[in-house]
Amino acid sequence: MAYREILGQEIVKDILTRFAASGKIPHALLFVGPPGTQKRETAAEFARILLCEASPSNGEACGSCQGCHLFELNSHPDVFFLNPKGKMRHVKMDETRELLRFLSLKPYLEKYKIAVLPDADTLSDASGNAILKFLEEPPE
């Protein structure tokens, strides 16, 4: 999904486009809002833009480079989607440890390591605390 397909988030898209163009990306971004605000899609598209090898400054990924291609296939080595699994739809501590190990490594192909947690409300208390501690005290 391209930014132009995300409706009603012009201010957010403008801010994210400026982040991408400047190369000054905060180490963590939180996308919140009521259902239907396309926060999940906006976060995923921002990740795709950051991984685009064409270094887009217009707020759109090229869609044809290796980074865009790997992202579309959900196989980019610098992206981690932490989705709830199982019948209970909770993110368990083992999955959180895997995420934190991933984030502790240097990027493989691109400049950034990106983790997207679309359902952060499904984190167990222990998982949420571990991620919060990691965000407060990130590694070098």
Side-chain angles (χ1 to χ4, degrees):
M1 170 176 282
Y3 267 170
R4 66 182 168 278
E5 298 171 17
I6 298 171
L7 306 175
Q9 298 297 332
E10 302 312 314
I11 294 171
V12 172
K13 293 187 293 188
D14 182 54
I15 291 168
L16 295 175
T17 300
R18 283 188 273 140
F19 280 157
S22 71
K24 295 179 180 176
I25 315 296
H27 82 278
L29 292 168
L30 181 63
F31 294 76
V32 296
T37 56
Q38 295 183 306
K39 56 193 172 286
R40 194 174 295 183
E41 293 84 355
T42 304
E45 184 59 20
F46 183 58
R48 188 167 77 114
I49 288 168
L50 291 178
L51 299 170
C52 179
E53 294 166 11
S55 299
S57 60
N58 64 350
E60 296 289 333
C62 74
S64 58
C65 68
Q66 180 185 17
C68 289
H69 183 67
L70 289 171
F71 187 84
E72 289 300 316
L73 295 173
N74 292 325
S75 61
H76 199 292
D78 295 326
V79 178
F80 192 103
F81 282 87
L82 183 62
N83 292 303
K85 295 180 182 117
K87 294 178 184 176
M88 298 298 289
R89 303 273 309 147
H90 285 294
V91 175
K92 297 178 183 167
M93 195 59 200
D94 289 343
E95 297 161 315
T96 302
R97 283 189 196 101
E98 185 180 341
L99 167 68
L100 298 179
R101 268 191 301 274
F102 167 82
L103 290 173
S104 296
L105 301 173
K106 292 194 179 291
Y108 183 71
L109 291 178
E110 302 301 332
K111 186 176 175 181
Y112 304 103
K113 296 284 275 193
I114 299 170
V116 180
L117 291 73
D119 296 306
D121 58 324
T122 63
L123 293 168
S124 68
D125 288 344
S127 292
N129 288 334
I131 291 172
L132 183 59
K133 180 172 175 62
F134 187 87
L135 290 174
E136 290 174 344
E137 301 170 13
E140 291 290 321

